[in-house]
Amino acid sequence: MNTKWVSQLGILIVLLSACSRNIPTPIATATSNLFPTETSVPITPIKLELNACVATEEAIRIRSGPGTDYEAIGALAAGACITILGRSPDSSWVYMATADDFTGWVAAWLLTIDGDLSKVAVRDDFDHNVAATETPPFQSVVQLCTNIANLLGSTVTCKIETAYCVYLPDVDGSPTFCTEKPYPSHLFQFVVFGEDWSEYNGLCMTVTGLLESYFNGQKGLLQIVGHDRSQVSACE
């Protein structure tokens, strides 16, 4: 072999080897994301309140929880209007407040509701474990007239510890009103029409009669209408 060609071939191999050592290796670099990624924004539920009115011709009960097993704590007269603040998960009961901020649960099917009840927040802060048994229709101990709303529609005997009685001869029907607190702070009234029974003012009264409800323009209250003196007696 020609020594000249061997020499040139050796030089070429050396040059190629040097070039391969000087070629830089590509380095991966982090690139910034030119397009912003979407982030989820938590949606805050709207706390909707609705107006509603009693749709029945009779008073309905206010209960301590969403169901008939819960204690009756008050009543709403026919036509009384309320504000709905919450609902049960199945929307069958609503948590409401009266104009004087008395709160409790009432059955939704007994109301005319102005709006979509499903958009009201579910309220779940009631006591799930304690459900009160209904008070029997008879009473072994005479209770205060303000504590027997669960007997609405029944004939009851109850007492007013200190009666505030006033006769109003100039008012239509000439009524005598006996209440447990001075008007308009009272929750119960015993009313007699056409007679002056104000001699019971300041006394403890036991009264008997049909427990009804009425709406005084602001809230549902309890009342018994008196017809004769046999419905009233003095108590200790």
Side-chain angles (χ1 to χ4, degrees):
M1 180 181 291
N2 192 325
T3 56
K4 180 179 179 180
W5 283 105
V6 171
S7 175
Q8 289 179 348
L9 181 60
I11 294 171
L12 179 61
I13 292 173
V14 172
L15 291 174
L16 290 174
S17 177
C19 289
S20 63
R21 287 195 299 267
N22 293 330
I23 296 174
T25 302
I27 299 175
T29 58
T31 59
S32 61
N33 191 348
L34 299 179
F35 300 97
T37 57
E38 293 184 0
T39 56
S40 59
V41 178
I43 300 174
T44 302
I46 299 174
K47 293 185 178 179
L48 182 67
E49 296 180 359
L50 298 177
N51 296 321
C53 296
V54 176
T56 63
E57 296 181 356
E58 299 179 352
I60 65 174
R61 296 179 179 179
I62 303 171
R63 296 186 179 273
S64 60
T68 55
D69 289 335
Y70 287 86
E71 180 186 6
I73 57 174
L76 289 172
C81 293
I82 57 171
T83 300
I84 295 176
L85 305 176
R87 64 181 175 89
S88 61
D90 62 358
S91 297
S92 60
W93 289 78
V94 298
Y95 184 75
M96 60 91 225
T98 62
D100 59 346
D101 295 326
F102 185 83
T103 57
W105 292 85
V106 295
W109 66 88
L110 300 177
L111 303 172
T112 299
I113 300 173
D114 184 15
D116 187 354
L117 183 58
S118 67
K119 298 193 177 195
V120 176
V122 172
R123 192 178 184 99
D124 198 33
D125 58 353
F126 56 90
D127 192 339
H128 293 264
N129 299 317
V130 180
T133 303
E134 291 286 346
T135 304
F138 60 91
Q139 297 167 263
S140 58
V141 177
V142 178
Q143 300 183 57
L144 295 177
C145 293
T146 53
N147 292 346
I148 57 172
N150 58 317
L151 296 178
L152 196 64
S154 304
T155 297
V156 299
T157 297
C158 61
K159 69 178 179 179
I160 306 174
E161 289 187 321
T162 303
Y164 294 84
C165 297
V166 57
Y167 176 52
L168 303 172
D170 298 328
V171 173
D172 185 27
S174 300
T176 297
F177 291 98
C178 293
T179 59
E180 90 289 353
K181 289 183 179 180
Y183 176 88
S185 300
H186 65 295
L187 298 175
F188 172 86
Q189 69 181 22
F190 180 81
V191 58
V192 180
F193 293 97
E195 296 184 34
D196 181 4
W197 289 19
S198 60
E199 69 268 21
Y200 291 101
N201 185 53
L203 301 179
C204 178
M205 292 176 64
T206 299
V207 298
T208 299
L210 178 64
L211 185 64
E212 304 172 319
S213 68
Y214 74 101
F215 187 62
N216 71 348
Q218 294 182 339
K219 58 184 176 181
L221 304 175
L222 301 174
Q223 81 170 7
I224 293 176
V225 177
H227 302 285
D228 60 68
R229 297 274 179 172
S230 64
Q231 292 178 252
V232 180
S233 62
C235 55
E236 296 284 329

